[in-house]
Amino acid sequence: MQVVKEILNWYIQSGVTETIALEPSNRFSPASEQILLKKELSPPASMAISSVLPQIPADNLLQSASQTASQAQNLEQLKEALQNFEGCALKKTAKNTVFGQGNPNADVMFIGEAPGADEDRLGLPFVGASGQLLDKMMLAVGLSRQTNAYISNIIPWRPPGNRNPSNVEIALCMPFIQRHIELIAPKIIITLGSISFTSLINTTETISKARGVWHQYQTPNLSAPILLMPVFHPAFLLRTPAQKKNAWRDFLNISEKLNELKKA
Ligand code: URA
């Protein structure tokens, strides 16, 4: 029993928080040893899941994502298109498609990276510990998802074990968040963390350098570029509280910009 506990602890410390095999297996029964031996000759179930999609050329999947997303004329259609899109393997292991939450007419749209375990369970963005910090930071400058802000993510499905999404996964989800931004048409976009920033603004700039600086986001369907500011991800701030003072500066800057835009 002690050994089992140690193995489980080792898995948890290594970042394994989900079991994603298609079927449970009793690894203590002599019969399962035979199955394991057989499985070593064929791909394990977890690989079988991710190998379903690469059989379709990536270009075709990207084209299908772009076509599907661009056809959506409103948020309901986009949500439905995303829920029906089978081109990204992350959907296979996620419990829910996390679309977005907030006022669709908001002037400001916050964009994070990808759902975590709590978001995956509830189907809503930023509802875990980092979401609670985000809510507090927003409230401090008069913003809230209940009234005047909108929140979404680059990736709508939780990557297993909260790993970083791959470049292919980001590329496949990009047409959807791009259309999402076009349909919300906010006055400003706030990207939370590095992945969200570098996915929307094609750059190698680090978040530490880029944070707090206004950038511009443009798509072929937007009549004018949208102001975009990268800020630290709230999960990073929870781990590095010394950076909260910089985040506070950025949020004051956001608030000033919103007031300025209202007056204009
Ligand atoms: N982190 C993110 O980037 N997005 C969420 O929705 C939750 C945590």
Side-chain angles (χ1 to χ4, degrees):
M1 195 60 194
Q2 186 57 27
V3 177
V4 176
K5 266 191 182 171
E6 279 172 17
I7 292 174
L8 277 177
N9 273 335
W10 179 79
Y11 273 132
I12 292 165
Q13 277 161 18
S14 311
V16 178
T17 56
E18 299 281 321
T19 51
I20 57 169
L22 292 177
E23 290 162 9
S25 68
N26 178 356
R27 290 169 195 279
F28 295 103
S29 81
S32 76
E33 277 175 27
Q34 298 306 316
I35 294 167
L36 267 178
L37 274 176
K38 264 197 225 154
K39 274 191 177 166
E40 268 162 18
L41 299 173
S42 57
S46 55
M47 265 179 69
I49 291 172
S50 55
S51 64
V52 168
L53 300 171
Q55 290 165 4
I56 307 168
D59 277 358
N60 292 10
L61 288 174
L62 282 174
Q63 213 180 348
S64 148
S66 291
Q67 263 174 11
T68 312
S70 64
Q71 278 162 8
Q73 295 307 310
N74 54 47
L75 289 177
E76 289 71 36
Q77 286 179 9
L78 185 66
K79 186 173 181 180
E80 202 184 323
L82 198 51
Q83 282 166 336
N84 293 333
F85 182 65
E86 300 297 336
C88 179
L90 290 176
K91 188 176 177 205
K92 312 280 173 207
T93 49
K95 291 190 181 79
N96 273 303
T97 299
V98 178
F99 184 68
Q101 191 185 25
N103 181 347
N105 299 313
D107 285 346
V108 54
M109 179 170 184
F110 288 83
I111 304 180
E113 176 187 321
D118 293 319
E119 291 76 18
D120 184 37
R121 193 166 40 84
L122 297 173
L124 293 169
F126 283 99
V127 287
S130 61
Q132 283 162 24
L133 177 58
L134 177 63
D135 280 339
K136 279 189 199 158
M137 296 192 313
M138 287 166 62
L139 211 56
V141 291
L143 295 172
S144 125
R145 63 179 98 191
Q146 275 78 37
T147 55
N148 55 2
Y150 190 87
I151 308 181
S152 188
N153 280 304
I154 296 286
I155 305 275
W157 300 289
R158 182 194 181 203
N162 293 347
R163 66 163 169 77
N164 283 343
S166 71
N167 289 341
V168 171
E169 287 157 357
I170 292 174
L172 283 168
C173 295
M174 196 47 61
F176 292 96
I177 189 65
Q178 185 173 314
R179 189 72 190 129
H180 209 148
I181 294 170
E182 288 168 359
L183 291 170
I184 297 284
K187 289 198 173 118
I188 65 175
I189 296 169
I190 306 301
T191 53
L192 300 158
S194 165
I195 289 186
S196 160
F197 169 56
T198 53
S199 305
L200 291 183
I201 301 281
N202 199 8
T203 177
T204 51
E205 235 183 320
T206 63
I207 183 80
S208 324
K209 269 205 160 176
R211 60 141 275 276
V213 178
W214 289 105
H215 294 66
Q216 295 205 330
Y217 176 74
Q218 178 67 292
T219 75
N221 288 330
L222 285 170
S223 56
I226 299 177
L227 283 171
L228 178 152
M229 185 197 277
V231 299
F232 284 132
H233 195 288
F236 169 75
L237 294 173
L238 286 173
R239 294 193 302 271
T240 324
Q243 288 293 346
K244 281 187 182 172
K245 60 178 186 300
N246 281 325
W248 176 234
R249 269 192 209 122
D250 298 344
F251 271 67
L252 288 178
N253 190 340
I254 294 165
S255 172
E256 270 169 33
K257 181 62 77 185
L258 282 170
N259 287 338
E260 217 179 274
L261 290 170
K262 257 185 214 134
K263 282 184 209 148

